Amino acid sequence: MTNSTSKGILHIEGLCAKISGKEVLKGLDLDVKKGSIVAIMGPNGSGKSTLANVLSGKPGYEITAGKIEFNGQDITDMSPTKRGQAGLFVASQYPLEIPGVTPIELMSAACQDLPSEELMRRVELVNKELSMPDSLMERGVNVDLSGGERKRIEILQLLALKKTMAILDELDSGLDVDALELLASMVAKASKDTGMTVLAVTHYSRLLEVLIPTEVHVLVGGTIVRSGGPELAVELESTGYKEFEKL
Ligand code: ADP
Ligand code: MG
């Protein structure tokens, strides 16, 4: 049983959501404790990105039942901007191009209270670790960038803006092994140092060897079908998702 004192920083109850008339999330419950690292795993098409997109408030999704609470506040109908201001950051599986807007301009707009000198100081610090070439900062966000460079830009925003919670949709896609280790270890360090909460969505366990979760949940057919500790990710690496697809 849950009560208000035991709820985590992200609390989802009975979430049902549709996209283009198709019901994708079918009564999803999830509770993520503040400061923890939690993984959502599942086969292709199980609803992982739909969950991440619904949590970001992306337009086009219809929530037909259930609710989402973040930091004790009901955000089910909140705009994406307000969710961001509340400290939630969703790193997309396929980050979009924003021509004409540089990463700095985007971050300034997202965090207007942050003095620009402080933003520049943080960007410089994070970029040094990311080995981000200056040229990427002069272009429009993600314009003509490789998959791996786009993921770097996502992590730059997450860490420079010091978000309270990161939802990472397939951070591993488009990254080679070295880049994956670098980005995952930077996220793990931020979680350890600042208490940032992480919900990592993936279908491979490789990411979770660096970004080590305390809980792993398996999402199949729009609902959580099994939950366990980090050993569940290792088990799924060898068994795959066949047993769940028969459910
Ligand atoms: P995952 O991220 O787990 O691979 P998704 O959440 O992307 O899965 O997709 C779940 C299901 O919803 C899939 O069957 C997919 O085809 C469908 N879906 C996702 N986005 C749309 C959309 N915009 N229109 C119609 N169907 C969609
Ligand atoms: Mg996906």
Side-chain angles (χ1 to χ4, degrees):
M1 207 178 95
T2 52
N3 59 45
S4 59
T5 53
S6 67
K7 280 181 188 170
I9 187 167
L10 179 70
H11 183 81
I12 305 174
E13 265 179 44
L15 187 64
C16 295
K18 278 185 183 173
I19 177 86
S20 309
K22 176 184 160 115
E23 193 178 27
V24 180
L25 299 182
K26 300 172 186 168
L28 186 140
D29 296 317
L30 182 69
D31 189 84
V32 180
K33 295 276 169 274
K34 194 167 191 231
S36 65
I37 297 176
V38 170
I40 299 264
M41 299 185 76
N44 279 324
S46 60
K48 303 184 298 301
S49 290
T50 301
L51 174 63
N53 291 340
V54 165
L55 291 175
S56 75
K58 187 173 176 177
Y61 293 86
E62 186 193 346
I63 295 180
T64 52
K67 65 172 177 181
I68 308 166
E69 288 175 16
F70 179 65
N71 243 341
Q73 205 180 359
D74 189 330
I75 63 161
T76 318
D77 300 314
M78 197 182 261
S79 71
T81 307
K82 288 228 168 87
R83 291 176 199 220
Q85 286 164 349
L88 192 62
F89 184 85
V90 181
S92 166
Q93 181 170 2
Y94 305 111
L96 295 177
E97 296 187 3
I98 315 177
V101 179
T102 66
I104 297 286
E105 287 165 346
L106 179 64
M107 285 185 272
S108 306
C111 216
Q112 291 173 357
D113 297 340
L114 188 67
S116 61
E117 312 79 61
E118 173 62 11
L119 175 63
M120 294 310 290
R121 195 187 65 82
R122 292 187 195 173
V123 166
E124 213 170 292
L125 274 177
V126 180
N127 273 356
K128 209 183 279 175
E129 269 190 80
L130 282 172
S131 314
M132 182 97 81
D134 288 344
S135 59
L136 299 193
M137 300 300 291
E138 286 149 17
R139 290 200 226 159
V141 175
N142 295 328
V143 173
D144 297 329
L145 263 48
S146 70
E149 290 167 338
R150 289 177 193 223
K151 297 291 168 130
R152 279 180 158 78
I153 297 278
E154 294 287 282
I155 297 304
L156 166 64
Q157 293 172 63
L158 169 68
L159 300 184
L161 297 179
K162 297 191 188 240
K163 293 293 183 173
T164 318
M165 177 162 190
I167 296 170
L168 308 173
D169 189 4
E170 309 252 2
L171 180 63
D172 31 12
S173 73
L175 289 180
D176 60 38
V177 176
D178 293 336
L180 172 61
E181 273 189 18
L182 174 70
L183 267 51
S185 65
M186 286 174 73
V187 173
K189 184 171 182 298
S191 176
K192 188 162 169 275
D193 293 351
T194 68
M196 181 177 76
T197 311
V198 180
L199 183 64
V201 174
T202 183
H203 65 268
Y204 293 116
S205 68
R206 206 170 57 190
L207 171 73
L208 308 177
E209 287 166 15
V210 183
L211 190 61
I212 299 166
T214 48
E215 290 173 29
V216 175
H217 302 278
V218 183
L219 175 62
V220 177
T223 188
I224 304 289
V225 296
R226 198 170 150 198
S227 301
E231 70 288 346
L232 182 53
V234 179
E235 181 191 321
L236 291 167
E237 187 69 38
S238 57
T239 60
Y241 297 101
K242 292 183 292 292
E243 69 163 297
F244 304 110
E245 280 165 340
K246 287 187 220 118
L247 292 177

